[in-house]
């Protein structure tokens, strides 16, 4: 036992040089070697004795550190006069000196000018001892019996500091032993500045700044301290802007939520209680904009619904039951007859995003009822324009989501009559959609189940965020292809013609293959309005939504060739020059470029299958 | 007595003995008388008489009788064992001798001899010359014991002189390793027991070498064998390794402890025989001498103990407790509660609760009635220790207590208490002691800056009594006179008591909340009034730091213990101690009164807990097993059990009635400074330097052991290693060591400690 301690137990004695030096300091010039030895042994022994006694005082003082006071008390025990005036700012105040073949440790004693001491202002009086007790303790002598609660269930009582105020650092000491109060941490000045900049950029007018800010939120690893503030910012922002029907700001805030979710270093679960209400508000609110007939608040609902679905996927557990609670909420208002079209749309979108199973069990059975309701609006007497638009949107939403589900579940012969019988008013349209969906599925099967990375014309605000969505699906798993913020996947609805064409964005595709030197291609992606595909477009139908890509570099062949080992890094260059913008708008798609992009994605996919989870809508 | 021993010896031996007696120098005169007796004794006069064997036996009987008269029962036993004498033999011989006046002609003299011997020996117990075989060994056993009785602090030279005989220094290593090889080669069952010898032998051999100025040999010896010692002796080894010179031996307390007290070992008879045979075969006299002189081997019959059994009991500075030390009866039962008729007016309070009333009455009868009607057979006499009369205010308080206890939460493994932590801020590591009043209304803290601070933890503020002049003006007949005498102007939440000149290490409230005790490094215990917030008395007696003090549960008495290694019992109205409890071999670190106020428990740096009888200051229990200085003690509310916590982070549970360890609670990683049983004793809370409060299922710990058979003569118990099962909860604070724990009357757990910002 205790072999390792054996070394510790050897008795250490002071070097005789120290004895000599001490003797010299008190004026004894020549000390014989033997006397030095005898002295050092004796002194070492006494020092040990005193240290052992001092330890006793430390134990009784209930401390872990030996203080000079303990030594003083130990000396007093031995009837030795204590050392006076020993104090030190440092833990080990000894200096080392060598010279003349001697090595010494000494204590630096500075000469002190008394007048200096007298003239210096008095130091601040240390705070007095105070006792901190939980407030509920104050009523111990009330007659009602104290509840015996298990420590874990103790309610967090407000904390009262008795006596003099204690400074904040010390107040931080725990109160309830197990309860860890959710603490908001102090932010450094830099963090405060950052927070201010980011929040201003996110809701400001400059789109470029916003993109940068969102990018920062989505990638910066050190934001956890600001997370509570961001979370409050968003929830408060939504609360205020819903009332004011400020659609733009709501969109910005949702994009912030998106960015926060994308950040792999942030874990939002603790803040879901603030974020989820905000997101749900954006999905189902009756009115989100000032002019419901003109503004495209539908896109916001779609987007928020997707956020909701994502957070359900990420955070729903058996204990918090987020998904089932959310589903219940949506279903309840969907079943309500009085629900307005806007809210209805939101509910359906929210449910649809939760996956095919939800669509199958909750939406498809409702198709006939909803169809009847839509028919009533469409075919009925002239009602308000707003209702009509709403019904129209709900209809296309239902068709869009249900078509692919029906296509998968229903046996093949797609008879219009049959559909009509099953789904009522919507049956006819659904049938055609299903046919299209089947065709598309067949097409996809042909093209070796490639993932379509369809790039459609992005709307300036929302499409950006949607792109974020796709990026996030990538960033959940370590993906090599990073779809930049302005590369958009699938806008559900084509933009209104009034929207200016977005700036073309440059992409650099870094291809690194084993052995070969990395090649670099700059691809400029831009998209133009495809005017024909307005309402009837089934998303991700390749014909209607061809991305317009121009490869500036000519080395296409290198990219398109199937090289399983190649990695592509796509980096976006924000378009700063207007020339690019102009150029982009008029570009004709080249036939090779989509393939090259697709192949890139495919390659990526083969390496990490989960990387590209954006499935066709 | 000397005569008896020298009986069978030659005359030169007697002459040799003489100078020894003289050299003792303690009492020349008695030495001479002894030798006078010796020469006149008919026993010695008969030189190697007709039946030497018979004579030997006679001698032995005489010795035995002497020993019996002097209550040296252990020696009697050993002697009888050694000589192979039966009880009956002795008895018959004695009657023969006295009654018959027969045969050998010695019998008649035996009595007269005995009487003479007893006179001389009573006069000079130290003068016993020490020589030769088994009898002498026994006397050696008792010798230092007598020294201890006669002088509390023995003269160093006397103590050390035992080391004067020496063997060949370089052979020490050979001796030791020889024994080591032997012990390692014996059967497993004996090895563990005999291994106990290593440490005391090692220490004594080392000290012998040092004493005889063989410094290098001592160092080599230490280096070679110190690593073999059990790890719980490390602290002492650290001290030992500093001792390298004869001069150091003087004045070293640890050494003195080692010398004055014999290291006690419990060894089964078989193992002991084995050892003895080995040593005799090898003629290993050096070790044999040490065993004879410095060790006390308590031999028991039965199975040898296992390693874990030995480990659980060893660790103290002077080995285990002798078995007979713990044989004394301890009245651990509680005193009868005084009969207090509950005044009728309390029904006003409870009037609104119609259902509550009958229930309350019933419970009161249960709890009170059972206690008062049936006297606890283990309880001491009500007036064994005179206790102060109950005052009216005490009775009121008792009533309050009963009311509160009816509302008490019943704790258990399923129902743990809430813990409320009182954090001292800005104490800058200066908080050294905390105490709560029994009703949890006041809190006192002792600080390293010599102050004592008292806080009111209820909204009721602390007020001083008005000055004498103002008091004169008050109308004494008014109903609210008690309210009127208080000075509203002085109301505050806390008061500071200045008076000590060194760190305050212990504070204790009186049960009636009128007084506060504080003990300090300056060697005094001070009594403070909580009416005037002034110091009333400074009790001087300990000349060294006083580590702890504690009020009796009935007030009036208090106990203090300090660096001077004694605990003292005081009464508040006496400036000198009433009792001094001496016996600990190192500082008395903590002191607690038994709930019935008849006993005091002390914990010490010598790693033992002792229980003292207040009536006669006798030590009635020595509890060994801790491996570090003991810093906290707690009695269970029923008075049957004791818990102790030490620097090694373990809590040990003891059964007071049997004097046995019944549980070991492992888990803390640092010194345990606070222990407390819940009001009903179901939960034991422990607080430590490691910033945790742990709750233990004490009922389970006690129950499991109670089923075992205590009556086994060996008294060796097998400790179940079930700390984890018994641990009910562990609660961390952020950075606040737990200094004190207290259960309120309703079983809410209060904890206190100073926040440590470092």
């Amino acid at each position: 036992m205790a072999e390792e301690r054996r070394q510790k137990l050897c008795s250490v004695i002071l070097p005789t040089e120290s004895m000599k030096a001490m003797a010299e300091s008190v004026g004894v010039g020549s000390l014989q070697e033997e006397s030095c030895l005898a002295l050092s042994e004796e002194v070492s022994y006494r020092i040990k004795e005193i240290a052992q006694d001092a330890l006793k005082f430390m134990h009784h003082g209930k401390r872990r550190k030996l203080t000079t006071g303990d030594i003083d008390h130990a000396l007093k025990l031995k009837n030795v006069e204590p050392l006076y005036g020993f104090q030190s700012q440092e833990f080990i105040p000894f200096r080392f000196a060598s010279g003349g073949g001697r090595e010494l440790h000494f204590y630096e004693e500075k000469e002190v000018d008394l007048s200096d001491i007298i003239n210096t202002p008095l130091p601040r009086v240390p705070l007095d001892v105070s006792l901190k007790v939980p407030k509920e303790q104050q009523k111990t002598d009330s007659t009602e019996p104290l509840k015996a609660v298990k420590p874990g269930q103790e309610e967090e009582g407000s904390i009262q500091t008795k006596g003099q105020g204690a400074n904040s650092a010390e107040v931080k000491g725990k109160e309830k032993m197990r309860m860890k109060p959710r603490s908001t941490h102090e932010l450094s000045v830099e963090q405060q500045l950052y927070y201010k900049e980011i929040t201003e950029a996110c809701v400001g007018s400059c789109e470029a700044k916003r993109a940068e800010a969102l990018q920062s939120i989505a990638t910066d690893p050190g934001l956890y301290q600001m997370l509570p503030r961001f979370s409050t910012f968003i929830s408060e922002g939504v609360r205020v802007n819903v009332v004011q029907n400020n659609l733009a700001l709501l969109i910005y805030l949702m994009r912030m939520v998106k960015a926060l979710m994308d950040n792999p270093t942030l874990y939002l679960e603790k803040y879901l209680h603030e974020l989820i209400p905000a997101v749900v508000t954006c999905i189902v609110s009756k009115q989100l904009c000032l002019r419901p007939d003109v503004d495209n608040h539908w896109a916001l609902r779609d987007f928020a619904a997707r956020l909701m679905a994502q957070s359900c996927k990420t955070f729903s557990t058996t204990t918090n039951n987020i998904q089932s609670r959310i589903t219940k909420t949506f279903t309840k208002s969907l079943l309500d007859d009085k629900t307005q079209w806007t809210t209805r749309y939101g509910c359906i979108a929210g449910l649809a995003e939760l996956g095919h199973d939800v669509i199958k069990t909750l939406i498809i059975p409702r198709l006939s009822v909803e169809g009847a309701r839509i028919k009533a609006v469409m075919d009925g007497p002239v009602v308000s324009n707003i209702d009509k638009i709403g019904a129209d949107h709900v209809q296309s939403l239902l068709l869009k989501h249900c078509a692919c589900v029906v296509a998968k579940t229903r046996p093949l012969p797609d008879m219009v009559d049959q559909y009509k019988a099953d789904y009522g008013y919507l049956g006819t349209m659904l049938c055609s959609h299903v046919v299209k969906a089947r065709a598309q599925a067949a097409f996809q099967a042909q093209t070796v189940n490639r993932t379509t990375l369809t790039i459609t014309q992005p709307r300036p605000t929302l499409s950006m965020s949607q792109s974020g969505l796709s990026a996030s699906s990538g960033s959940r798993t370590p993906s090599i292809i990073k779809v930049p913020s302005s590369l958009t996947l699938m806008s559900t609805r084509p933009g209104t013609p009034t929207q200016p064409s977005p700036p073309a964005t440059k992409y650099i595709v870094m291809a690194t293959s084993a052995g070969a030197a990395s090649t670099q291609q700059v691809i400029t992606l831009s998209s133009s309005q495809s005017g024909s595909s307005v309402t009837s477009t089934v998303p991700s139908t390749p014909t209607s939504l061809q991305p317009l890509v121009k490869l500036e570099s000519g080395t296409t062949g290198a990219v398109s060739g199937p090289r399983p080992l190649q990695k592509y890094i796509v980096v976006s260059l924000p378009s700063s020059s207007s020339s690019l913008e102009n150029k982009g708008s008029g570009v004709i798609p080249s036939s090779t470029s989509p393939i090259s992009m697709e192949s890139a994605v495919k390659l990526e996919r083969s390496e990490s299958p989960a990387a590209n989870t954006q499935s066709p809508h | 007595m000397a005569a008896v021993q020298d009986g069978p010896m030659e005359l030169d031996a007697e002459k040799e003995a003489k100078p020894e007696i003289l050299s003792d120098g303690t009492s020349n005169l008695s030495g001479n008388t002894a030798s006078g007796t010796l020469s006149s004794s008919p026993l010695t006069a008969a030189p190697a008489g007709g039946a030497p064997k018979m004579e030997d036996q006679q001698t032995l009987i005489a010795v035995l009788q002497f020993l019996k008269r002097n209550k040296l029962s252990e020696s009697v036993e050993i002697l009888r064992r050694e000589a192979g004498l039966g009880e009956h033999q002795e008895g018959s011989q004695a009657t023969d001798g006295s009654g018959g006046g027969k045969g050998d002609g010695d019998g008649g003299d035996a009595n007269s001899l005995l009487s003479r011997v007893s006179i001389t020996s009573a006069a000079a117990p130290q003068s016993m010359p020490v020589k030769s075989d088994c009898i002498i060994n026994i006397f050696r056993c008792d010798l230092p014991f007598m020294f201890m009785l006669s002088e509390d602090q023995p003269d160093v030279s006397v103590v050390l002189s035992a080391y004067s005989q020496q063997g060949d220094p370089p052979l020490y290593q050979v001796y030791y390793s020889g024994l080591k090889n032997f012990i390692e080669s014996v059967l497993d069952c004996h090895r563990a027991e005999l291994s106990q010898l290593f440490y005391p032998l090692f220490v004594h051999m080392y000290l012998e070498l040092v004493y005889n100025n063989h410094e290098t040999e001592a160092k080599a010896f230490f280096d070679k064998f110190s690593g073999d010692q059990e790890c719980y002796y490390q602290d002492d080894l650290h001290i030992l390794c500093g001792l390298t010179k004869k001069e150091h031996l003087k004045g070293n307390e640890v050494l003195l402890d080692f010398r004055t007290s014999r290291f006690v070992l419990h060894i089964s008879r078989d193992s002991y025989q084995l050892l003895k045979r080995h040593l005799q075969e090898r003629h290993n006299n050096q070790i044999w001498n040490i065993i004879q002189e410095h060790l006390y081997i308590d031999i028991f019959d039965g199975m040898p103990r296992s390693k874990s059994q030995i480990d659980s009991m060893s660790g103290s500075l002077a080995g285990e407790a002798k078995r007979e030390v713990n044989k004394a009866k301890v009245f651990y039962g509680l005193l009868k509660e005084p009969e207090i008729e509950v005044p009728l007016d309390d029904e006003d309070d409870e009037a609104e609760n119609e259902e509550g009333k009958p229930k309350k009455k019933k419970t009161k009868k249960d709890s009170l009635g059972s206690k008062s009607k049936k006297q606890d057979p283990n309880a001491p006499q009500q007036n064994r220790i005179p206790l102060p009369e109950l005052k009216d205010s005490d009775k009121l308080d008792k009533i309050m207590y009963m009311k509160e206890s009816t509302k008490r939460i019943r704790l258990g493994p399923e129902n743990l208490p809430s813990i409320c932590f009182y954090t001292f801020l800005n104490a800058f590591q200066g908080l050294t002691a905390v105490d709560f009043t029994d009703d949890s209304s006041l809190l006192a803290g002792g600080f390293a800056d010599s102050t004592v601070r008292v806080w009111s933890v209820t909204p009721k503020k602390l007020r001083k009594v008005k000055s004498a002049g103002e008091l004169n003006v008050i109308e004494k007949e008014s109903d609210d006179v008690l309210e009127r005498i208080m000075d509203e102007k002085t109301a505050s939440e806390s008061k500071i008591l200045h008076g000590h000149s060194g760190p305050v290490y212990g504070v204790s409230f009186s049960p009636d909340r009128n007084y506060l005790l504080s003990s300090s490094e300056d060697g005094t215990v001070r009594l403070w009034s909580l009416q005037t917030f002034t110091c009333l008395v400074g009790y001087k007696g300990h000349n060294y730091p006083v580590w702890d003090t504690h009020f009796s549960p009935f007030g009036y008495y208090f106990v203090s213990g300090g660096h001077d290694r004694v605990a003292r019992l005081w009464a508040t109205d006496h400036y000198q101690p009433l009792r001094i409890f001496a016996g600990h071999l190192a500082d008395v670190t903590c002191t607690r009164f038994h709930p019935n106020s008849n006993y005091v428990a002390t914990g010490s740096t010598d790693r033992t807990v002792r229980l003292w009888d207040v009536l006669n200051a006798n030590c009635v229990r020595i509890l060994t097993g801790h491996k570090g200085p003991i810093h906290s003690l707690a009695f269970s509310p029923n008075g049957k059990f004791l818990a102790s916590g030490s620097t090694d982070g373990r809590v040990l549970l003891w059964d007071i009635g049997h004097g046995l360890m019944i549980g070991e609670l492992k888990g803390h990683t640092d010194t345990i400074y606070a222990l407390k049983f819940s009001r009903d004793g179901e939960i034991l809370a422990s607080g430590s330097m490691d910033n945790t409060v742990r709750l233990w299922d004490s009922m389970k710990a006690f129950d499991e052991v109670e089923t075992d058979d205590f009556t086994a003569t060996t008294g060796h118990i097998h400790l179940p290693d079930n700390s984890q099962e018994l641990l009910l909860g562990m609660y961390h604070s952020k950075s606040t060591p737990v200094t004190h724990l207290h259960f309120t009357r309703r079983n809410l757990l209060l904890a206190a400690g100073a926040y440590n910002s470092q």
Side-chain angles (χ1 to χ4, degrees), chain B residues 84-366:
Chain B
L85 272 181
E87 177 97 42
H88 60 281
Q89 228 175 332
E90 180 202 344
S92 65
Q93 289 285 350
T95 43
D96 271 2
S98 54
K102 181 262 125 218
D104 304 307
D106 316 335
D109 287 317
N111 263 348
S112 61
L113 165 77
L114 269 175
S115 59
R116 242 176 294 166
V117 164
S118 53
I119 290 161
T120 47
S121 62
Q126 294 103 319
S127 67
M128 265 195 300
V130 180
K131 272 266 144 124
S132 147
D133 275 49
C134 66
I135 308 174
I136 280 107
N137 289 340
I138 296 156
F139 279 93
R140 282 195 181 157
C141 292
D142 284 327
L143 245 180
F145 196 61
M146 293 181 188
F147 276 117
M148 266 174 58
L149 292 179
S150 52
E151 326 171 17
D152 196 39
Q153 291 288 316
D155 190 15
V156 186
S157 59
V158 174
V159 168
L160 292 178
S161 62
Y163 280 136
S164 53
Q165 19 119 303
Q166 52 163 310
D168 195 11
L171 284 180
Y172 274 57
Q173 289 197 23
V174 179
Y175 290 147
Y176 188 86
S177 45
L179 183 74
K180 194 175 149 191
N181 290 338
F182 161 69
I183 290 177
E184 272 162 11
S185 67
V186 298
L187 287 174
D188 280 357
C189 60
H190 300 300
R191 190 190 303 150
E193 287 209 310
L194 293 179
S195 301
Q196 298 177 82
L197 281 167
F198 282 139
Y199 175 67
L201 278 179
F202 168 80
V203 174
H204 283 291
M205 291 173 88
Y206 176 73
L207 290 178
E208 227 170 272
L209 286 170
V210 170
Y211 182 78
N212 294 314
N213 284 325
H214 303 297
E215 201 182 311
T216 45
E217 284 91 347
K219 210 162 179 308
F221 183 78
F222 190 91
D223 290 345
K224 187 154 180 204
F225 299 114
S226 66
D228 297 345
Q229 308 307 326
E230 297 283 354
C231 47
Y232 40 80
Y233 292 121
Q234 286 298 315
D235 287 350
D236 289 343
L237 291 180
H238 270 290
I239 296 170
L240 272 183
C241 79
L243 286 165
T244 50
K245 291 245 182 294
K246 190 177 177 180
E247 293 75 44
H248 297 164
L249 298 189
K250 285 177 188 158
N252 187 300
E253 291 152 10
V254 177
L255 172 79
L256 274 183
D257 296 336
F258 231 93
R259 296 298 315 115
T260 52
S261 59
R262 298 156 67 86
F263 200 94
V264 181
L265 305 169
H266 288 199
I267 290 185
S268 70
R269 181 174 301 283
D270 294 348
S271 307
Y272 181 70
Q273 299 289 2
L274 208 63
L275 173 78
K276 207 171 134 190
R277 212 177 310 132
H278 166 78
L279 291 178
Q280 277 166 358
E281 275 168 19
R282 296 290 194 82
H283 302 291
N284 203 342
N285 284 330
Q286 198 63 37
I287 287 186
W288 187 241
N289 280 345
I290 291 178
I291 291 178
Q292 295 303 326
E293 274 175 44
H294 303 310
L295 308 191
Y296 179 94
I297 297 183
D298 201 346
I299 298 163
F300 62 86
D301 295 303
M303 286 284 289
R305 293 186 298 169
S306 70
K307 173 88 178 136
S308 65
Q309 279 177 322
I310 292 169
D311 275 350
S312 70
M313 296 296 286
S314 56
S316 117
L317 195 62
E320 300 179 35
K322 294 175 197 167
R323 270 175 300 154
E324 63 275 2
V325 175
N326 288 343
K327 289 279 192 285
K329 169 126 178 92
V330 173
F331 302 101
Y332 55 79
L334 300 184
L335 293 178
K336 209 162 58 171
E337 289 284 324
E339 305 266 358
I340 301 169
E341 66 282 14
V342 179
L344 289 168
D345 63 355
D346 79 320
E347 278 176 27
D348 303 354
D349 308 339
E350 310 288 332
E352 77 275 337
N353 189 355
E354 280 300 318
E355 272 179 54
K357 246 196 293 177
K359 222 191 228 166
K360 204 181 110 222
K361 281 273 156 61
K362 217 166 59 189
T363 52
K364 200 169 285 165
K365 237 174 242 164
D366 281 351

Side-chain angles (χ1 to χ4, degrees), chain A residues 14-30:
Chain A
L14 295 173
T16 49
E17 285 79 17
S18 305
M19 294 302 122
K20 274 192 185 141
M22 280 178 226
E24 277 169 23
S25 70
V26 293
V28 180
S30 57

Side-chain angles (χ1 to χ4, degrees), chain B residues 46-118:
Chain B
K53 218 179 171 192
M54 194 60 190
E55 230 166 84
D56 264 14
Q57 214 167 32
Q58 292 276 329
T59 319
L60 278 170
I61 291 162
V63 171
L64 277 171
Q65 281 180 343
F66 161 73
L67 288 174
K68 266 196 173 166
R69 195 168 306 168
N70 284 283
K71 304 231 167 65
L72 298 164
S73 50
E74 45 175 285
S75 311
V76 174
E77 265 177 43
I78 294 169
L79 179 56
R80 194 178 293 145
R81 235 183 280 136
E82 297 268 344
L85 272 181
E87 177 97 42
H88 60 281
Q89 228 175 332
E90 180 202 344
S92 65
Q93 289 285 350
T95 43
D96 271 2
S98 54
K102 181 262 125 218
D104 304 307
D106 316 335
D109 287 317
N111 263 348
S112 61
L113 165 77
L114 269 175
S115 59
R116 242 176 294 166
V117 164
S118 53

Side-chain angles (χ1 to χ4, degrees), chain B residues 118 125 209 212 253 317 385 400 428 581 589 599 612 681 689:
Chain B
S118 53
L209 286 170
N212 294 314
E253 291 152 10
L317 195 62
I385 304 290
M400 272 306 290
F428 305 111
F581 305 116
T589 48
Y599 297 92
W612 310 86
M689 195 72 178

Side-chain angles (χ1 to χ4, degrees), chain A residues 41 59 64 133 162 170, chain B residues 245 422 426 432 456 673 689:
Chain A
E41 277 175 3
H59 277 300
R64 280 203 192 86
V133 288
K162 293 185 99 183
E170 273 152 335
Chain B
K245 291 245 182 294
Y422 286 77
N426 311 321
T432 46
S456 165
Y673 281 118
M689 195 72 178

Side-chain angles (χ1 to χ4, degrees), chain B residues 703-711 717-718 720:
Chain B
D703 284 347
E704 277 177 12
V705 180
E706 268 174 331
T707 57
D708 289 351
D709 189 16
F710 268 169
T711 54
I717 36 113
H718 225 40

Side-chain angles (χ1 to χ4, degrees), chain A residues 1-3 5-6 8-11 38 41-42 45-46 48-49 52-53 56-65 67 70 73 76-79 126-134 137-152 154 160-167 169-178, chain B residues 215 219 222-224 226-231 234 237-239 241-243 245 248 252-253 407 409 414-429 431-432 443 447 453 455-459 493 503 505 521 544-545 547 563 587 589 631 647 670-671 673 689-690 693 731-734 736 739 746 748 750 755 758:
Chain A
M1 72 212 79
E3 255 89 37
R5 297 208 191 186
R6 203 181 281 202
K8 272 200 248 167
L9 273 176
C10 62
S11 58
E41 277 175 3
E42 177 66 17
Y45 172 70
R46 298 294 163 200
K48 272 179 210 162
E49 215 176 26
Q52 277 155 3
D53 276 343
K56 225 178 252 178
F57 283 94
M58 182 191 83
H59 277 300
H60 282 283
K62 303 189 167 71
R63 276 173 281 117
R64 280 203 192 86
K65 262 188 188 165
T67 64
D70 294 332
H73 292 310
K76 200 175 150 195
L77 271 192
K78 298 263 173 240
N79 271 330
L127 292 166
D128 198 13
V129 182
S130 59
L131 185 64
K132 196 173 76 167
V133 288
Q137 262 333 100
Q138 308 275 309
K139 47 179 189 196
T140 28
D141 61 347
S142 69
T143 48
E144 72 207 52
L146 287 161
K147 282 180 294 178
V149 267
K150 285 196 179 173
E154 281 176 317
Q160 180 183 337
T161 308
K162 293 185 99 183
Q164 296 201 10
N167 65 32
E170 273 152 335
V171 174
K172 268 193 207 161
K174 54 85 247 314
E175 196 50 52
K176 289 289 172 55
M177 313 208 59
R178 204 187 238 176
Chain B
E215 201 182 311
K219 210 162 179 308
F222 190 91
D223 290 345
K224 187 154 180 204
S226 66
D228 297 345
Q229 308 307 326
E230 297 283 354
C231 47
Q234 286 298 315
L237 291 180
H238 270 290
I239 296 170
C241 79
L243 286 165
K245 291 245 182 294
H248 297 164
N252 187 300
E253 291 152 10
K407 292 168 190 162
I409 303 296
E414 304 305 313
N415 202 10
L416 296 179
S418 298
I419 305 174
C420 168
F421 208 105
Y422 286 77
T423 312
F424 287 80
L425 300 172
N426 311 321
F428 305 111
Q429 298 221 332
L431 180 76
T432 46
L443 174 115
F447 290 86
R453 286 160 199 257
W455 278 270
S456 165
V457 296
T458 58
E493 277 177 338
Y505 289 119
E521 186 268 342
Y544 291 101
W547 297 131
H563 178 73
D587 302 29
T589 48
H631 276 276
T647 54
D670 210 330
T671 310
Y673 281 118
M689 195 72 178
D690 63 10
V693 172
Y731 308 100
H732 280 278
S733 69
K734 191 177 171 197
T736 309
T739 315
R746 295 177 185 180
L748 176 77
L750 309 181
Y755 176 68
Q758 284 163 5

